[in-house]
Amino acid sequence: MTTFPRAGLAQNFVAGHWAEGDEGGVVAIEDPGTQEHLANCACAGEASVARALDAARAGVERGSLADMPPAERAALMHRIAAEIRAIAGEAGEMLCRESGKTLEAAQGEFEEAAQYFAYYGGVADKIEGKSIPLGPGYLDYTLYEPYGVSAQVVPWNFPVALAARSLAPALAAGNSVVVKSPELDPIGLAMLGSALERAGVPEGCVSLLCGIGAELGARLVASSEVDQIVFTGSVPTGQSILHAAAETVTPSVMELGGKSAAVAFEDADLDGLMASVKNGVYFNAGQVCSAMSRLLVHRSIYAQAVERAVALSQGLSIGHGLDNPDLTPLISAQQLTRVEERVQAAAQEGVRVACGGTRLPGPGYFMAPTVLAEVDPASRIAQEEVFGPVLCMIPFDSETEAIELANAPDFGLVAGVFTQDLSRAHRVAAKLRAGQVFVNEWFAGGVATPFGGVGRSGFGREKGLEALYNYVRTKNVAVALNRGS
Ligand code: NAD
């Protein structure tokens, strides 16, 4: 049995075996809550990428997953879910230490990962084609075939849950997968790999590679051995991957950033809204693609909403993730500097810093919970992703104006409507340019609800039944029947 973390540097699961890196480099992992060194992870290099892709291809050619009887594939997925749940306590603690998130959220990531495997385990034997009527003399039907080798690149903010979000439907559909883990917090994902190994994933059908982003990730996605790319991360990296995908004409799913807005009308329940602000802005220290980074409030309740948001922010408990506070550190010194600089630049441009605005004394990469008020909707801070515990509050006077403001940035990941008027909720939801709209509760939904972006937030949908169709392609079989004599 493999347990992590283990002595040495064996953090790469390649072709069914745990291996050290092959170019001698290491990634040093630090605890962002204490700035103490936690572990070194071996960097996979060119040789590991090649071995992982060869093993994945061999798995595809053997039909290890695609030809497995669907009910057996479903059973494998449920075994994986059980193995993930079995390590959630210990592995969640490691993820908490390496990512800075709360213990509850880290263990919750493993639970969410288990739910993805259980959910797609439930559909692994129900990937059914259609029969298409062509009239007498013809039989026509469609088959859903796996792509083959899926290359998946995962970001650091939810490394375990997001890896599982793509791995589970890909395996349920019969693909082999090579995952590039995030360099800032790869250990929890390696522990997820150990759960897959124990559940009996066929050799080579899953590989996990750890290494420095642009080098390892770029090598992986550019390979002509890759049949499909799934990328979750920032817009610039997504664009660079799309260039590589254009060269090899490889189908891609892009789950990119966001600048999502909640729209609170004058009849919004302010207690419910503030509960959503707490979760939407401060969960994972705001390092969430679908964070509520803008709050648009009807002018009649705007002053009250700002006051409540400030009181909420100033009352948050702040500390190391192991203590389950309301607000945890950012992942790295670089991320803290980036967030602080964005806020300072906004302040210099005249935005009112209603609270927070600067880093907090260390150790640990803590940013003060920040509320920016009367934010100019055209300003950079209102248009660009900050990826930290920062809320931009903007007043509006009419429904039409609120929709225009909400839809103004190039991003369109999620949005929210807070109102007690059901007709207005549906009317506005229909007009918001986003892949998912929350009504009266930010982050409502779950593993079964489709998620993804429009505009610069990307394309393709993850989660739910919808996502399964990212991982298969349709083949049509058109048969001219022998009409007899
Ligand atoms: P990032 O783009 O810097 O890195 C994402 C991953 O890509 C990492 O594993 C990195 O090592 C790898 N990478 C970097 N350069 C690469 C290249 N040239 N080729 C291939 N791989 C490369 O993003 P990040 O900072 O890790 O994550 C934060 C971003 O991710 C935010 O913009 C956030 O909104 C977005 N995100 C989106 C979703 C979603 O579902 N839409 C979910 C989580 C995070």
Side-chain angles (χ1 to χ4, degrees), residues 61 99 145:
E61 279 167 11
S99 68
E145 298 181 335

Side-chain angles (χ1 to χ4, degrees), residues 282-306:
Y282 296 122
F283 177 61
N284 211 35
Q287 302 162 118
V288 182
C289 54
S290 50
M292 184 205 285
S293 46
R294 294 179 298 146
L295 176 54
L296 316 179
V297 186
H298 190 268
R299 200 174 296 277
S300 62
I301 57 163
Y302 179 77
Q304 197 188 353
V306 172

